[in-house]
Amino acid sequence: MQQTSAPDKRTPYWWEDAPVRPLPETPLAAKADVVVVGAGYAGLVAALTLARAGRAVTVLDAMNPGEGASSRNGGITSGNIRMTFDQLKRRYGEGRALAIEAEGKVARSFTYDFIRSEGLDCDFQLTGRFYGVIGQEQYESAARSAEALQRKLGIDSFAVPRAEQRNYLGTDYYRGGSVRMDIGGLQPAKYHAEILRVTLASGATVHSGCPVTAITAEGAGFVVTTPAGKIAARQVLICTNGYTDGAVPFLRRRLVPVRSRMIATEELPADLMDRLMPRRMMASEGKVLGFYYRPSPDGKRILLGGRDASQSGDPAAPTLMLRKGLIGLFPELEDVRLSHSWFGNVAMHRDMIPRIFDHKGLTYATGFCGSGVVWAPWIGSRAAHKLMGGAQGRSAFDMRPPPAIPLYAGKPWFMPAFIQGYRMQDRIALARATR
Ligand SMILES: Cc1cc2nc3c(=O)[nH]c(=O)nc-3n(C[C@H](O)[C@H](O)[C@H](O)COP(=O)(O)OP(=O)(O)OC[C@H]3O[C@@H](n4cnc5c(N)ncnc54)[C@H](O)[C@@H]3O)c2cc1C
């Protein structure tokens, strides 16, 4: 019997073990060296870095800390850059393109060192990631990329021909793929809760339920306004990413919040999990609107995510579409029940590269384009070093702001049409590949 009713829960599966909670209310300080807006991964790691260097830091978040994307994501340490090396080279020149690629490797190592050295309890497992392709052309390109990663950056990566695919994933959907062993999975809400723990221990102050409503330049610094009062700051760092609102209109005109949705299956029998995910690897695929999926950290469920074209409410259609995608990959799951379905916002922009930038004295760490598990902590830490001055903060991602989007002030009216267009591209590519 196919499930037609809604999943039991419309909140993230991750919140079962690590629910997001308000922090105890404390009065707002009158001043700080640095105010950070947004208490996701980026804002907290920036605050931690600054506080450990002796700065007085106040972090303000409109919701519960982590309630943005940082406790809702897939937990896959993908660290993707959405431009290919050739595209990067054309736009930034070869030197900058190489520096960006190399910093990607450093950022992922930073994440793993950070988890280890701080003792962050977040179920991290370096499982590797399988990338499924949908045609011979894509297979050849994935094989070339895997070989280049191995040769240029020493990353353990290799092509997987279709005949060997079932050693990695129990599906015949793909025409083979590639594996990168430097990518793994963590429990994102636990990861956030643990970063919050060490950030509070560092002496930074974090306020939840405290939306910033305005930031105004005053004297040599800024005054940050909230319903709980005003706070004067020498420097302000904006880490609001896919939840950016009218308090930062400059950023709002440049970032497009796009819904990404995830579903979780009920617990599956161990022998079925052994067939579908024999290596318990992370997975993604080579479609424009590809799915990303993974086993739960206990290896008993499959969690799958993808784009969601809805813009308000919590309609049933996107969940059913993901369920259909899951069954397309694994027909054995035809009768599976879903336990959870939830969504969050990722932040896309025209340049598609995470970045740090300044504008009118404010500093921004943002634009993670759906890959912030690795990028947000790294860019947050780089932004903190930049605010403190000195060479340690230098980053290839310290760039100009992303360009503003014409006729756009924060409501992405064009997204449903874009998503339909991308779906069409995927259908055409799939039809060509299977001809
Ligand atoms: C469903 C889903 C799946 C994903 N899967 C992956 C994945 O597998 N791998 C991966 O690498 N990435 C993934 N991502 C992306 C990743 O979660 C994000 O890139 C990352 O969490 C961004 O962190 P952040 O700190 O920049 O922003 P967020 O965690 O979104 O935090 C921004 C914060 O800013 C606050 N804020 C906004 N405006 C104001 C204001 N005016 N005043 C005060 N506070 C404000 C918000 O309340 C929010 O808490 C996924 C995202 C989603 C939604």
Side-chain angles (χ1 to χ4, degrees):
M1 254 283 280
Q2 273 210 12
Q3 182 184 8
T4 47
S5 59
D8 297 341
K9 296 201 173 167
R10 312 294 287 190
T11 47
Y13 169 70
W14 312 118
W15 291 4
E16 301 295 323
D17 278 351
V20 291
R21 292 197 180 97
L23 289 164
E25 264 183 55
T26 50
L28 208 59
K31 59 181 182 176
D33 293 328
V34 185
V35 164
V36 178
V37 188
Y41 301 142
L44 289 185
V45 174
L48 172 68
T49 312
L50 288 159
R52 285 196 176 154
R55 304 297 192 275
V57 189
T58 296
V59 186
L60 305 172
D61 200 293
M63 305 192 281
N64 293 318
E67 199 175 342
S70 292
S71 69
R72 296 170 180 270
N73 60 71
I76 304 175
T77 60
S78 50
N80 281 340
I81 301 244
R82 283 175 193 271
M83 277 199 228
T84 63
F85 184 71
D86 286 343
Q87 287 169 326
L88 286 172
K89 206 161 74 174
R90 272 198 299 278
R91 183 168 298 185
Y92 300 108
E94 184 158 9
R96 188 74 176 264
L98 275 171
I100 288 172
E101 290 270 341
E103 202 169 312
K105 187 176 173 188
V106 176
R108 203 176 282 100
S109 306
F110 167 88
T111 302
Y112 302 160
D113 288 347
F114 181 52
I115 292 170
R116 208 174 19 245
S117 62
E118 301 287 341
L120 307 182
D121 173 12
C122 60
D123 302 336
F124 173 62
Q125 297 170 51
L126 190 55
T127 53
R129 185 205 60 191
F130 179 86
Y131 171 78
V133 301
I134 55 169
Q136 185 58 25
E137 219 174 285
Q138 265 195 17
Y139 177 72
E140 281 160 20
S141 157
R144 276 196 306 276
S145 296
E147 190 272 328
L149 280 176
Q150 179 80 55
R151 184 168 37 81
K152 281 199 210 151
L153 297 174
I155 292 171
D156 184 6
S157 56
F158 49 89
V160 177
R162 194 177 193 191
E164 291 168 26
Q165 184 168 296
R166 277 191 170 257
N167 295 337
Y168 296 88
L169 219 50
T171 180
D172 296 319
Y173 186 82
Y174 303 117
R175 301 288 158 128
S178 61
V179 165
R180 273 182 79 148
M181 290 308 297
D182 62 336
I183 295 176
L186 47 75
Q187 207 284 31
K190 279 192 178 178
Y191 184 45
H192 181 273
E194 285 286 89
I195 299 178
L196 179 61
R197 174 178 66 77
V198 292
T199 302
L200 291 171
S202 74
T205 308
V206 184
H207 294 269
S208 57
C210 190
V212 169
T213 52
I215 305 168
T216 32
E218 215 171 284
F222 295 90
V223 171
V224 179
T225 305
T226 78
K230 291 179 191 268
I231 174 165
R234 277 199 300 117
Q235 295 171 306
V236 176
L237 176 63
I238 311 289
C239 298
T240 50
N241 211 45
Y243 291 82
T244 302
D245 61 17
V248 251
F250 178 78
L251 188 58
R252 207 182 190 198
R253 287 195 296 275
R254 285 161 170 77
L255 291 186
V256 182
V258 178
R259 280 188 177 185
S260 192
R261 179 176 289 273
M262 295 200 76
I263 53 173
T265 67
E266 63 189 345
E267 285 192 7
L268 303 173
D271 61 327
L272 180 57
M273 279 305 286
D274 288 343
R275 274 200 306 282
L276 302 185
M277 299 201 126
R279 311 230 176 168
R280 303 292 194 267
M281 273 188 177
M282 307 293 122
S284 68
E285 50 179 36
K287 293 194 280 190
V288 188
L289 292 180
F291 297 124
Y292 49 93
Y293 49 105
R294 58 167 295 171
S296 53
D298 63 7
K300 293 182 179 170
R301 299 167 193 254
I302 296 179
L303 278 62
L304 176 136
R307 291 284 170 262
D308 173 340
S310 69
Q311 293 197 328
S312 60
D314 190 1
T319 302
L320 295 177
M321 191 173 269
L322 290 189
R323 187 174 192 283
K324 198 169 150 204
L326 179 71
I327 295 167
L329 287 166
F330 302 118
E332 278 188 80
L333 293 181
E334 188 170 19
D335 295 327
V336 78
R337 278 197 61 80
L338 301 181
S339 59
H340 297 71
S341 172
W342 71 96
F343 65 88
N345 292 347
V346 300
M348 305 308 242
H349 56 90
R350 287 171 71 191
D351 284 350
M352 303 299 266
I353 298 187
R355 68 195 49 212
I356 307 164
F357 60 88
D358 290 334
H359 179 72
K360 295 198 171 162
L362 297 176
T363 302
Y364 297 77
T366 194
F368 302 119
C369 298
S371 281
V373 172
V374 163
W375 288 120
W378 172 252
I379 295 291
S381 81
R382 295 302 86 193
H385 284 295
K386 179 182 165 107
L387 289 174
M388 294 187 286
Q392 218 192 334
R394 292 222 182 95
S395 166
F397 295 87
D398 192 339
M399 295 180 174
R400 64 184 163 106
I405 296 157
L407 305 176
Y408 171 68
K411 187 164 168 37
W413 49 270
F414 42 80
M415 260 342 271
F418 268 56
I419 290 186
Q420 285 312 326
Y422 293 146
R423 284 207 177 111
M424 184 61 76
Q425 273 183 44
D426 281 337
R427 274 200 286 272
I428 294 169
L430 201 59
R432 276 208 194 113
T434 47
R435 254 207 306 253

